Amino acid sequence: MTTPVQATAERFRKLYGRAPAGLFSAPGRVNVIGEHTDYNLGFVLPAAINRRARIAVLPRGDGVLRMATTGTGDPAESTVAELGPGMLQGWSRYVAGVHWAFGLRGVAVPGMDILLDSDVPAGAGLSSSAAIECAVALAVNEFSGAGLPAEDLVLLCQQAENDFAGAPTGILDQSASLLSTSGHALFLDCRTRESRHVPLDLAGEGMALLVIDTKVSHAHDSGGYADRRADCERAAATLGLGSLREISLPELVLAAPSLDALAYRRARHVVSENARVLSVVEHLEAGRRAAGLGPWLAASHESLRDDFEVSCPELDLAVEAAMAAGAAGARMTGGGFGGSAIALVPASDAARIGSKVCRAFARADFLVPEVFEVVPEDGARREF
């Protein structure tokens, strides 16, 4: 049976007439908890998933970058020397942005023929863009001889996303895609960039993690995400803080009169979400069952819905229907404004709960969601 890696390599050979010199892959992610805390220099707990972007690569000596995808999207071509923000749209800007970011660091970046093949759903809040960036970063890092450590590649890929693709994200997505290990979530302090692996053995507990892709597409380079980041920065500046990481919830309550109502709600989400991340990490590292995470997941969703206002009717229904069907916990995951929810469910009940969610969407006359199980996966790697 042909594997996805073999299939991508063969499609590359047919497209470009030669075999690739290497194939690299990087996973999408779910965020277990810790939403919109990364760019506020707080805490996050993502996990890489078994959906990956695969990049087949053949370096070129003429500085030309040729990019194609097996998915939706047109091919694109440029020279590495000509790359600049705003010159590409769609999927190819995530590929080209990584080459550009390496160049800013003085790396002599070769031209390349590239073929992207990905089963990370685009627009689903599972970091499809970061998966592309991280796979490309491994390829450029190797074939340019740059030899940067994974922690530096996180920042490089974030720069590609922020400054080339125009999406003002933090380091959560790229960290999860590059640094994760199988069977664990990644606890990340976004101020110090220190991380550690937290056990998340769902199968061993008889649990499963369902992703409910609502099919409501979102994009981080749209205005809503940037507006929320600006709200948080305004709240921190009003409070005289470098970031909302620097204040506790009781302190924020005392400082509430200095903030307008909108800034206070945005800050309350971030500060309370940081506390929830720390509580979840403590719970898991103490060896307690993941099935006990339900109250924190529920509180996170309510805060994202009411204080941060990044949910939508489809995400709310996904959470409500999953909980009504017997999930131990559920919440939206990712930046919001569409995308996916996650539901922590008994493995033996996963199919039934997924079906009930789909029926609830049908009754509401929403698009039929895609429901699938994910497992904590290893981070980016060279496949051959």
Side-chain angles (χ1 to χ4, degrees), residues 243-267:
S243 74
L244 292 175
R245 155 71 173 270
E246 300 169 17
I247 192 169
S248 68
L249 193 56
E251 291 169 336
L252 179 63
V253 171
L254 290 175
S258 65
L259 296 172
D260 63 76
L262 179 64
Y264 177 71
R265 292 200 309 275
R266 302 295 191 249

Side-chain angles (χ1 to χ4, degrees), residues 66-375:
R66 296 196 296 178
M67 300 165 281
T69 177
T70 63
T72 303
D74 295 327
E77 183 172 325
S78 177
T79 65
V80 173
E82 293 173 334
L83 292 174
M87 67 176 295
L88 292 169
Q89 300 298 317
W91 69 274
S92 62
R93 71 190 191 273
Y94 302 117
V95 176
V98 172
H99 288 73
W100 171 81
F102 269 98
L104 291 185
R105 285 160 175 76
V107 175
V109 181
M112 291 183 177
D113 288 339
I114 286 179
L115 178 64
L116 164 68
D117 180 38
S118 180
D119 59 10
V120 186
L126 302 178
S127 297
S128 58
S129 60
I132 296 169
E133 292 157 357
C134 294
V136 173
L138 287 192
V140 178
N141 198 40
E142 177 177 323
F143 289 121
S144 70
L148 299 177
E151 291 78 8
D152 288 353
L153 296 182
V154 168
L155 298 180
L156 187 149
C157 290
Q158 182 201 16
Q159 183 177 27
E161 181 111 12
N162 289 179
D163 299 337
F164 195 93
T169 60
I171 62 171
L172 185 160
D173 299 342
Q174 293 83 6
S175 296
S177 192
L178 282 161
L179 305 177
S180 291
T181 60
S182 177
H184 295 77
L186 182 76
F187 174 52
L188 174 66
D189 181 331
C190 295
R191 181 170 67 186
T192 67
R193 293 195 286 129
E194 294 176 348
S195 65
R196 65 178 184 263
H197 298 109
V198 176
L200 191 63
D201 182 17
L202 298 176
E205 292 186 20
M207 300 296 291
L209 190 62
L210 293 182
V211 170
I212 305 163
D213 179 0
T214 66
K215 300 300 182 180
V216 178
S217 183
H218 82 149
H220 279 167
D221 53 352
S222 63
Y225 190 98
D227 289 346
R228 296 307 184 279
R229 183 165 185 163
D231 291 341
C232 294
E233 291 170 350
R234 178 168 58 87
T238 300
L239 296 169
L241 305 173
S243 74
L244 292 175
R245 155 71 173 270
E246 300 169 17
I247 192 169
S248 68
L249 193 56
E251 291 169 336
L252 179 63
V253 171
L254 290 175
S258 65
L259 296 172
D260 63 76
L262 179 64
Y264 177 71
R265 292 200 309 275
R266 302 295 191 249
R268 182 169 59 185
H269 163 71
V270 172
V271 175
S272 64
E273 187 82 342
N274 277 328
R276 285 186 284 271
V277 174
L278 295 177
S279 295
V280 167
V281 170
E282 180 182 16
H283 178 93
L284 293 173
E285 290 187 331
R288 301 189 185 102
R289 290 174 57 83
L293 301 182
W296 290 301
L297 300 184
S300 175
H301 185 79
E302 290 167 4
S303 181
L304 288 159
R305 181 192 65 205
D306 300 336
D307 278 352
F308 223 65
E309 298 179 285
V310 292
S311 190
C312 65
E314 290 86 351
L315 285 170
D316 293 341
L317 180 59
V319 169
E320 293 162 8
M323 291 301 296
R331 73 183 217 36
M332 60 157 283
T333 189
F337 309 102
S340 297
I342 56 172
L344 188 60
V345 304
S348 59
D349 237 5
R352 183 188 64 81
I353 291 173
S355 295
K356 289 213 165 199
V357 171
C358 291
R359 288 198 291 271
F361 270 61
R363 287 193 298 270
D365 202 25
F366 291 158
L367 293 174
V368 177
E370 182 183 4
V371 183
F372 53 92
E373 183 180 345
V374 296
V375 297

Side-chain angles (χ1 to χ4, degrees), residues 35-48:
E35 224 64 79
H36 290 274
T37 49
D38 59 340
Y39 56 78
N40 288 292
L41 303 185
F43 306 107
V44 293
L45 189 70

